[in-house]
Amino acid sequence: MSLPHAILTALLEKPSSGLELTRRFDKSIGYFWSATHQQIYRELGKLEAEGLIRTLPTEAPARGQKKSYEVLPAGRAELARWTAATQDPKPLRDTLLLRLRAAAVVGTAGLEADLRRHLDLHRRQLTEYQDIEERDFPPDRDAPEDRLRHLVLRAGIDLETFWTQWLTRALAEFADLPEDD
């Protein structure tokens, strides 16, 4: 149920076409809630059918012209309802952790290289988040909406920091394990 709410959030920030939403997802919301172009368009149709968004009127409708959407009052109310509702944290499901558990019974062959690959990926993501923070959140940018957006980015920074530290620790453990035969 969160994709429609992610779309409502993005459209309240700025009315957009489906293509613009896809691009914005790739640069912001997609860091923590990903969606394909097809999923976004499918949800736009559902949200419009439910009366939560509408297509913005155009001066001269033309075939093949991209449609832009805006949130209607019912959509804002739905997003406010969803935001205020309680939700339990989702249990962590990570295949890397499951693979480590499995390695305890079948051996660690190939796993160390993948841990190194994961560490590299998390380091790169951490650097990207830190670059975004430096670019988009200077110390004087402290409007309430900016503070909340920065808080979301900080969650990403903190998660990537956790993963880089944990993977570094995991690789140190691997260095102390006896080699598989």
Side-chain angles (χ1 to χ4, degrees):
M1 187 64 176
S2 295
L3 179 56
H5 297 102
I7 291 171
L8 287 171
T9 299
L11 288 176
L12 278 169
E13 291 174 343
K14 180 183 175 192
S16 305
S17 69
L19 181 58
E20 291 166 338
L21 279 174
T22 299
R23 289 180 180 147
R24 288 175 52 213
F25 262 69
D26 288 346
K27 294 179 183 176
S28 62
I29 292 174
Y31 286 121
F32 55 91
W33 198 269
S34 61
T36 66
H37 188 70
Q38 293 83 6
Q39 289 171 316
I40 290 172
Y41 272 96
R42 192 169 36 250
E43 286 301 326
L44 285 170
K46 290 177 186 176
L47 290 167
E48 191 169 27
E50 293 170 6
L52 301 178
I53 64 171
R54 74 176 182 132
T55 304
L56 286 170
T58 58
E59 294 176 14
R63 184 178 170 101
Q65 183 179 18
K66 68 179 179 180
K67 295 192 275 185
S68 288
Y69 299 88
E70 69 176 354
V71 177
L72 295 171
R76 179 181 283 276
E78 167 54 23
L79 187 59
R81 181 210 60 77
W82 179 76
T83 301
T86 60
Q87 291 185 351
D88 292 334
K90 300 287 184 220
L92 177 63
R93 292 179 60 178
D94 190 288
T95 55
L96 181 61
L97 298 177
L98 183 57
R99 290 171 54 218
L100 276 171
R101 181 70 182 254
V105 293
V106 298
T108 61
L111 201 48
E112 185 175 0
D114 203 36
L115 287 171
R116 290 186 191 291
R117 187 179 70 82
H118 277 251
L119 178 58
D120 182 55
L121 292 170
H122 285 288
R123 281 180 174 155
R124 281 191 269 156
Q125 190 64 62
L126 177 59
T127 299
E128 187 172 340
Y129 286 163
Q130 290 168 331
D131 291 346
I132 292 169
E133 182 179 43
E134 186 176 322
R135 180 190 72 221
D136 294 348
F137 296 100
D140 62 338
R141 189 170 177 185
D142 65 349
E145 60 273 11
D146 291 328
R147 290 171 62 190
L148 292 173
R149 289 181 185 119
H150 190 195
L151 192 58
V152 172
L153 178 61
R154 283 301 319 170
I157 290 169
D158 291 348
L159 284 169
E160 294 304 328
T161 299
F162 161 79
W163 280 113
T164 56
Q165 290 172 349
W166 182 85
L167 285 159
T168 300
R169 187 176 309 125
L171 286 163
E173 279 296 320
F174 262 72
D176 288 341
L177 292 176
E179 291 193 30
D180 287 341
D181 292 328

